[in-house]
Structures are given as C-alpha cells and as structure tokens.
C-alpha cells in the first residue's frame, strides 16, 4: 500500500474563518491540505513528521485567553514543534499572533481596532522578500483585528500600516506571520459581516465601515488576490 504524501495542515479556530482562497492556491500548486478544527472536542494533533507544512488561520479569541480557550495551550506547543522541525509555517491574523507568541513575543490588545480595507507599506526587507516582492510596495489588504504583537526576536519586519507597526514578519526563511487577511473572497467577507456581534464591532470603528467594505469588493478584492497568489506560490515552493 502506498503511503499518502504529507499534506499541509490548516488549523481553524472558527467555522467561518477557514482557508478560503489559500486552499485554492495550494490546489493550483499541486499541494494537498486538510483542516483541523482546534476548537472542537479536544482534537488529536498529528505528528509533526506527518505534515508537510502548517497554516494557522484567524479567530475571534486572543492569544492571552488560554483559560477561556484551553486548546490554545496545545496548539502553541504544536506550533513550536513545527517551527523547530523546520516546517513551512504561515499564520494569518490570530495565526500570526500565535506564531509571535510561540517565538516569545508579547501579544496584547491594541489601542484601536483595524477593520476593513487599508494599505500596508512594505519595509526594505519586505521589498526584497522572495514571497512578497512581486507585489506593489503599498498594496491594499483586508484587516479585522483588535490585538497586536511585538516583533519576535530574530524576526524581520516585512510590512507595517498606519495603525499597526507589525503587519507582516518572517522568521528564518520558512515561517511567516501576516496580521492582515489574504484568504478572503466576496462570499467570505459577506459571511463575516453577518456574524453575531459584527455589526457592533463595525459601528464602533466608524458608521461607514460596513458600507466601505462592501463598496471596496469590486476594486480591492482583485488586488488582494494578486497579492496572495505569488505569496502562496512561495509557500508552495517551500513545501515542495
């Protein structure tokens, strides 16, 4: 019997925060993936040797809420093992915060929430980064977060925004954290807007936040996908 090739493991923290277009980009690159819902019934984490790489998605909880979400303790331990083993690792939003925490950096509530379309600025390191340099130096991305983190020791800052200094970082050559979301399409964004509590969050940021998000779909989503595709091609090359 042929043993199946290791696949990318995607850690999901909420049903509505799945891999989205990341799954499609991996499939296009010939890379298999599977999801593990870490918030459900104390799931069994696989062995590190059985995965080709790790993608850690976003979620509504904070890294510092381990007593409320005890699965975070096991997840962080697993994340540290994957990094130590040299696996390609990508964290998105909460995922980036979990990577930063696993590397010893502080994660904490930001003074402002960053929700909706906004520009990031690539740093000098970001402009030279092999996964990020094919894009615009100031691309539009989608944000939905209230926490931020310090840059882990030994990591390189790749991007910042006007409200959040650490928008993207690289640790070594195969571990990346992105505070912004690259996995979204139109249906996912509309689903997020319909989630319980979303209306209050949006209103707290500004009365036009919801309308600005929807108005930006036709013009901003294509640019987001142009940003995500070469980035995920770099991740797929690291897997192969």
């Amino acid at each position: 019997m042929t043993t199946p090739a290791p696949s990318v493991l995607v850690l999901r923290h909420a049903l509505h925060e799945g891999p989205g277009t990341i799954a499609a980009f991996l499939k296009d690159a010939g890379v298999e993936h599977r999801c593990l819902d870490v918030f459900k019934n104390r799931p069994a984490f696989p062995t590190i040797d059985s995965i080709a790489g790790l993608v850690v998605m976003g979620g509504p909880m904070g890294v510092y809420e381990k007593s409320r979400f005890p699965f975070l303790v096991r997840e962080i331990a697993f994340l540290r093992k994957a990094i130590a083993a040299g696996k390609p690792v990508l964290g998105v939003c909460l995922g980036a915060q979990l990577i930063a925490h696993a590397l010893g950096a502080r994660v904490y509530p930001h003074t402002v929430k960053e929700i909706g379309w906004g520009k990031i600025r690539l740093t000098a390191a970001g402009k030279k980064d092999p996964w990020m340099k094919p894009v615009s130096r100031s691309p539009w991305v989608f944000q939905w977060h209230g926490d931020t983190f310090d840059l882990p020791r030994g990591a390189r800052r790749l991007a910042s925004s006007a409200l959040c200094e650490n928008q993207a970082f690289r640790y070594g050559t195969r571990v990346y954290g992105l505070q912004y979301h690259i996995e979204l399409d139109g249906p996912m964004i509309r689903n997020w807007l319909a989630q319980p509590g979303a209306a209050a969050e949006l209103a707290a940021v500004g009365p036009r936040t919801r309308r600005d998000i929807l108005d930006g779909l036709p013009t901003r989503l294509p640019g987001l996908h142009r940003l995500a595709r070469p980035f995920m091609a770099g991740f797929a090359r690291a897997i192969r």
Side-chain angles (χ1 to χ4, degrees):
M1 181 181 295
T2 303
T3 302
S7 60
V8 171
L9 181 66
V10 178
L11 301 183
R12 188 165 59 172
H13 304 96
L15 287 176
H16 64 283
E17 296 211 36
T21 60
I22 286 176
F25 291 138
L26 289 175
K27 183 178 180 181
D28 289 347
V31 176
E32 298 294 325
H33 81 280
R34 55 195 170 103
C35 288
L36 180 67
D37 289 338
V38 295
F39 60 96
K40 284 186 175 179
N41 302 322
R42 194 175 171 82
F45 284 84
T47 63
I48 294 297
D49 289 344
S50 70
I51 67 171
L54 184 63
V55 176
V56 189
M57 300 309 305
M61 61 286 299
V63 172
Y64 42 81
E65 295 184 289
K66 299 183 185 70
S67 60
R68 185 179 175 192
F69 303 99
F71 63 81
L72 290 172
V73 176
R74 298 172 60 233
E75 181 180 2
I76 291 164
F78 183 79
L79 184 51
R80 286 179 175 141
K81 290 179 182 177
I83 293 172
K87 300 291 182 178
V89 178
L90 167 62
V92 176
C93 198
L94 172 63
Q97 296 162 12
L98 285 164
I99 292 174
H101 177 77
L103 293 172
R106 186 172 63 113
V107 181
Y108 48 94
H110 202 2
T111 55
V112 293
K113 286 184 180 290
E114 196 172 23
I115 301 178
W117 301 105
K119 280 191 171 187
I120 58 170
R121 300 182 305 276
L122 297 188
T123 64
K127 294 170 187 176
K128 297 176 182 177
D129 186 85
W131 298 10
M132 299 189 71
K133 67 180 182 181
V135 305
S136 162
R137 294 183 177 185
S138 297
W140 286 86
V141 297
F142 191 85
Q143 310 271 8
W144 198 313
H145 68 98
D147 289 347
T148 188
F149 55 88
D150 294 336
L151 187 69
R153 180 175 296 180
R156 301 294 300 275
R157 182 181 296 112
L158 302 178
S160 299
S161 72
L163 295 178
C164 189
E165 184 178 29
N166 294 317
Q167 283 288 346
F169 69 89
R170 184 187 72 239
Y171 180 79
T173 60
R174 295 156 69 88
V175 177
Y176 283 74
L178 306 179
Q179 179 60 79
Y180 51 89
H181 292 272
I182 62 169
E183 78 279 17
L184 297 175
D185 57 21
M188 283 186 73
I189 290 177
R190 290 187 177 91
N191 186 20
W192 286 15
L193 295 175
Q195 292 299 310
E201 269 198 284
L202 294 166
V205 173
R208 281 193 52 85
T209 305
R210 177 185 176 86
R211 175 47 52 193
D212 288 344
I213 289 172
L214 292 172
D215 288 349
L217 289 177
T219 56
R220 302 304 179 207
L221 263 182
L224 184 65
H225 295 164
R226 286 193 296 271
L227 170 72
R229 187 176 296 278
F231 185 89
M232 290 310 303
F235 184 80
R237 286 194 299 272
I239 295 294
R240 292 195 298 263

